[in-house]
Amino acid sequence: MRRILGVAAVVLTAALSLSACGGSDPLTSATPAAPASSGGAAGSSTVVVGSFNFPESVLLASIYAQALKAKGVTVEEKPNIGSREVVFDQVKSGGLTILPEYIGSLLAFVDKNTTAKTKDEIVASLKEKLPSGLEVLEPAEAQDNNSLTVTKETATKYKLTTIEDLAKVSKDFVVGGPPEFKQRQEQNFKTVYGLEFKQWKPTGDTTADAIKSGTVQVGNVFTTDPKIVLNDLVPLQDNKNAFGSENVTPLVYKAGVNDAVVSTLNAISAKLDTTTLVSLMKRVAVDKDDPPAVAKDWLTQNGLG
C-alpha cells in the first residue's frame, strides 16, 4: 500500500472523475452485465477472455486478448461480467477461458481459512485449492492491494499509522467498502488485529469520497487509486499482513489453453509491474482513454502486440 504514494503523485494535477481502483477493486461486486458463453470450453478453437466489472480488470483482459490475437489466437472478449462470485463459476465451467485475477483475493475466495500471505505461499496454496480444471499462470510483479485508509486529519487526531492502531478507536468508527467487504473481512480483522467496527457501510466505488466527506471514518481503498493522493488520504500500514499479496495473474481453464496461449500470458506477466499498472490506470481513470487503446499502446511498446 505504501508504493502508491510516490507513483500516484503524477496525478495530482489531473481532473479525476472516477477512481482508478475504487472501481478497480479485486473484491468488488455488482450485478453481472452479461453471462459468458461456453466458447472457451474444451474442444473449442476460441479462447474467451473475461473480466470483472471494474476498469482495471477490463484493461488487463484487453491486454491479454490483444496479445493473443497478435499471436493468431481466435479470441472472444467478455468484459464487465460481474463480481468474483459470478465470474469464477464461469471459468470453472469453461464458459470463460482466461480471467485476470489477484492471487490473494482468489485464494481467500476458494479457501476462507487460508493463512497464506506471501506471493509464494499463496501460489502454492492455489495449486492445492483450485478446482482441478483451473490453474494460475505466472504472477506479475504488479499488485493492486487492499488497504484500510483514513483522512490525514483522522490519522493525526487518533495517532494512526498502522491498522493495529485502529483497535483503540474502531468501535466508534464506521467502515466503508464493497458490498461484500464485511462478509469477507470481518473475522479476518478480528483475528489479526482485534478490530470491531461500529458499523459496516457498503460504499463501493465511492469509498474514497465517503472517507473524505466523513460519511465513513475508515474505508477499503485500493492502492492504485489516485484518490488516495488527490483526497489527501492515508493508507494505514498493514503491519500484521491481514491482506495477502495481490499480484495480478491469469486464471485459466486448463482444457481451453495451449502452450502458445500460456507462453503469451506469461510474457505479459514478466513485463507488468506495479508502477506500470498505476500509470496505465491513470490514463483510463483520469485521462479517460479507452482501455483497449491503452492496452494496445503498452503491448506495442513492449513488443507484445
Side-chain angles (χ1 to χ4, degrees), residues 207-286:
T207 301
D209 295 323
I211 297 168
K212 184 67 175 177
S213 69
T215 303
V216 300
Q217 287 72 54
V218 59
N220 180 217
V221 182
F222 299 90
T223 57
T224 55
D225 188 347
K227 284 190 177 180
I228 288 177
V229 171
L230 293 172
N231 287 349
D232 206 19
L233 304 180
V234 178
L236 301 176
Q237 297 174 26
D238 184 15
N239 56 306
K240 291 187 176 180
N241 296 315
F243 299 121
S245 296
E246 291 288 5
N247 301 75
V248 173
T249 190
L251 173 67
V252 301
Y253 179 73
K254 291 193 290 188
V257 300
N258 57 25
D259 289 345
V261 171
V262 170
S263 63
T264 299
L265 296 175
N266 284 342
I268 292 169
S269 292
K271 290 182 176 289
L272 187 63
D273 59 26
T274 298
T275 300
T276 297
L277 183 57
V278 173
S279 65
L280 295 178
M281 281 310 304
K282 186 262 181 183
R283 286 189 58 187
V284 172
V286 178

Side-chain angles (χ1 to χ4, degrees), residues 3 17 81 128 132 145 148 152 160 220 240 297:
R3 60 169 173 74
S17 60
I81 296 172
E128 295 180 358
S132 59
N145 291 50
L148 281 178
K152 183 174 289 185
L160 306 176
N220 180 217
K240 291 187 176 180
D297 287 347

Side-chain angles (χ1 to χ4, degrees), residues 10 69 121-122 141 200:
V10 298
K69 288 176 183 178
E121 289 172 347
I122 292 170
E141 185 278 331
W200 295 70

Side-chain angles (χ1 to χ4, degrees), residues 103-297:
I103 58 171
S105 295
L106 176 60
L107 179 59
F109 182 76
V110 298
D111 180 12
K112 292 178 171 52
N113 297 315
T114 183
T115 58
K117 297 298 181 183
T118 68
K119 181 183 75 172
D120 290 345
E121 289 172 347
I122 292 170
V123 170
S125 295
L126 283 169
K127 290 179 180 178
E128 295 180 358
K129 298 297 182 178
L130 282 173
S132 59
L134 304 182
E135 69 175 342
V136 289
L137 303 184
E138 290 296 324
E141 185 278 331
Q143 293 194 56
D144 182 1
N145 291 50
N146 289 277
S147 76
L148 281 178
T149 293
V150 298
T151 64
K152 183 174 289 185
E153 292 80 6
T154 296
T156 300
K157 179 178 179 180
Y158 296 103
K159 299 180 180 178
L160 306 176
T161 59
T162 68
I163 296 178
E164 187 174 19
D165 293 335
L166 274 175
K168 60 193 176 186
V169 293
S170 61
K171 288 184 179 180
D172 297 321
F173 278 14
V174 178
V175 61
E180 69 280 9
F181 185 54
K182 183 177 189 289
Q183 176 186 349
R184 290 179 174 175
Q185 297 294 346
E186 183 174 23
Q187 187 57 51
N188 182 33
F189 291 154
K190 284 182 180 179
T191 301
V192 178
Y193 287 115
L195 299 184
E196 294 184 35
F197 291 102
K198 177 181 178 181
Q199 181 184 353
W200 295 70
K201 183 171 289 188
T203 48
D205 293 354
T206 67
T207 301
D209 295 323
I211 297 168
K212 184 67 175 177
S213 69
T215 303
V216 300
Q217 287 72 54
V218 59
N220 180 217
V221 182
F222 299 90
T223 57
T224 55
D225 188 347
K227 284 190 177 180
I228 288 177
V229 171
L230 293 172
N231 287 349
D232 206 19
L233 304 180
V234 178
L236 301 176
Q237 297 174 26
D238 184 15
N239 56 306
K240 291 187 176 180
N241 296 315
F243 299 121
S245 296
E246 291 288 5
N247 301 75
V248 173
T249 190
L251 173 67
V252 301
Y253 179 73
K254 291 193 290 188
V257 300
N258 57 25
D259 289 345
V261 171
V262 170
S263 63
T264 299
L265 296 175
N266 284 342
I268 292 169
S269 292
K271 290 182 176 289
L272 187 63
D273 59 26
T274 298
T275 300
T276 297
L277 183 57
V278 173
S279 65
L280 295 178
M281 281 310 304
K282 186 262 181 183
R283 286 189 58 187
V284 172
V286 178
D287 301 338
K288 301 307 177 76
D289 292 341
D290 289 335
V294 177
K296 182 176 177 58
D297 287 347

Side-chain angles (χ1 to χ4, degrees), residues 48-126:
V48 183
V49 180
S51 78
F52 298 118
N53 55 334
F54 56 85
E56 187 174 284
S57 184
V58 173
L59 171 66
L60 291 166
S62 187
I63 288 173
Y64 292 168
Q66 291 188 54
L68 291 170
K69 288 176 183 178
K71 296 294 185 181
V73 178
T74 301
V75 177
E76 180 180 358
E77 296 182 65
K78 296 264 183 193
N80 280 307
I81 296 172
S83 70
R84 183 172 290 104
E85 284 79 359
V86 173
V87 182
F88 181 83
D89 284 344
Q90 295 185 13
V91 186
K92 184 179 178 180
S93 69
L96 293 176
T97 320
I98 301 165
L99 175 72
E101 259 290 8
Y102 302 85
I103 58 171
S105 295
L106 176 60
L107 179 59
F109 182 76
V110 298
D111 180 12
K112 292 178 171 52
N113 297 315
T114 183
T115 58
K117 297 298 181 183
T118 68
K119 181 183 75 172
D120 290 345
E121 289 172 347
I122 292 170
V123 170
S125 295
L126 283 169

